[in-house]
Amino acid sequence: VSGEAIYVISGFIGFVTSCSPAAMRLNRAWLEKFVESTTRQMDYMGKLSPVPDELGGETISSMLASGKVFVDVDPKYPQAIGISNILERTAAVGNSSWEILIARTSDRSFMTSDYPCAVQRSIGSPIFARIVPLAADIAIRIYPRRRVDRRLLESALQNDFPHFRYRRKNLGASEVGDVNRRIIRCAEMNVYSSVMNTSVRNFINKNRNFRTETVSTINSSEQGDLLFFQQREMPFNYD
């Protein structure tokens, strides 16, 4: 696997996870939670102006809790953040451990979607793996690296990824089906397949009412909020 190939694929994944419509929606969600948390903390510390009497004399925190006030982040803002961090995303993916998944079956091929970065829980790790289809017979599963220092950013510009590791894995029909199920369930609006027949249609229909969502966990204390964010496949009704 050449450094140039790692750079191209990693850059593609960085682009999809920061600039696609699904990425804009997903990254908007965590920013809104972050702004809500910061607002409540500033209100608690008395660093916000009083709410005008015309709005009922409530605190901004109580209005956030009741839904009278809500945070609405322009999706172009998280996209801009993603664009500014595209090299960091590329270096992080390129310095991760990859599994190159080969579909060794005549009756099953990998599907793809308008958000071809499906998530998969990693056993023993809070970090989710990414599954990215590249062709009808090739996909990659990436176990992402948590941190990227400046040295790795500079190396990535030279197509050099010193922590890159990979192995090839041949998949049978049932394993390809499991990958496709995740791809369908993490799609935004559209799924694409090189084969279309009754069984494929039924498989898509069975798994269609899901999509990737940003799930937040907030642990609050007097010192502030500790926020955790993960992307997961979640039920979603498209009907």
Side-chain angles (χ1 to χ4, degrees):
V1 180
S2 69
E4 183 179 8
I6 299 169
Y7 185 85
V8 170
I9 295 172
S10 300
F12 166 73
I13 295 170
F15 169 80
V16 169
T17 56
S18 61
C19 298
S20 65
M24 293 164 68
R25 174 180 61 81
L26 293 166
N27 294 327
R28 174 185 185 181
W30 74 260
L31 274 171
E32 289 176 345
K33 291 293 184 182
F34 180 79
V35 173
E36 287 180 14
S37 173
T38 303
T39 301
R40 286 194 298 268
Q41 289 301 314
M42 293 179 67
D43 188 32
Y44 174 79
M45 297 168 66
K47 293 188 176 182
L48 296 178
S49 301
V51 175
D53 292 337
E54 292 83 353
L55 297 180
E58 300 180 57
T59 65
I60 189 68
S61 295
S62 64
M63 295 179 76
L64 280 169
S66 66
K68 292 180 179 179
V69 171
F70 62 92
V71 178
D72 185 19
V73 172
D74 185 338
K76 284 290 185 180
Y77 183 68
Q79 185 186 52
I81 294 176
I83 292 171
S84 67
N85 294 331
I86 195 72
L87 179 58
E88 182 176 340
R89 290 171 180 259
T90 301
V93 173
N95 282 285
S96 299
S97 297
W98 293 17
E99 284 183 344
I100 301 176
L101 309 177
I102 311 296
R104 297 294 189 190
T105 174
S106 59
D107 59 342
R108 286 288 181 94
S109 59
F110 292 121
M111 298 178 187
T112 188
S113 77
D114 51 0
Y115 188 62
C117 290
V119 293
Q120 178 181 0
R121 183 183 294 274
S122 302
I123 298 176
S125 173
I127 306 298
F128 278 45
R130 292 274 190 186
I131 299 177
V132 182
L134 300 179
D137 59 342
I138 300 175
I140 52 175
R141 182 186 287 118
I142 299 169
Y143 300 93
R145 187 178 182 84
R146 291 194 184 189
R147 295 183 178 87
V148 178
D149 57 35
R150 191 70 201 173
R151 178 180 58 83
L152 294 180
L153 294 178
E154 295 170 354
S155 297
L157 290 173
Q158 307 300 321
N159 293 346
D160 181 22
F161 300 90
H163 297 286
F164 173 75
R165 300 291 185 273
Y166 81 97
R167 66 171 183 169
R168 289 186 174 89
K169 187 175 182 180
N170 295 330
L171 303 188
S174 62
E175 293 172 304
V176 173
D178 182 64
V179 169
N180 283 337
R181 179 167 49 252
R182 297 180 189 281
I183 291 170
I184 295 168
R185 291 187 173 195
C186 291
E188 186 71 359
M189 291 294 293
N190 299 295
V191 174
Y192 307 97
S193 174
S194 60
V195 177
M196 184 55 67
N197 52 41
T198 301
S199 63
V200 170
R201 283 191 174 91
N202 291 339
F203 186 72
I204 292 173
N205 286 331
K206 182 179 179 180
N207 294 282
R208 64 185 292 269
N209 283 317
F210 294 81
R211 72 174 184 179
T212 309
E213 298 282 6
T214 297
V215 178
S216 59
T217 303
I218 303 176
N219 295 332
S220 299
S221 67
E222 292 184 356
Q223 288 73 36
D225 292 339
L226 185 60
L227 287 78
F228 298 91
F229 300 101
Q230 287 182 326
Q231 291 184 11
R232 299 180 187 174
E233 60 177 59
M234 303 288 290
F236 181 82
N237 189 2
Y238 281 98
D239 296 326

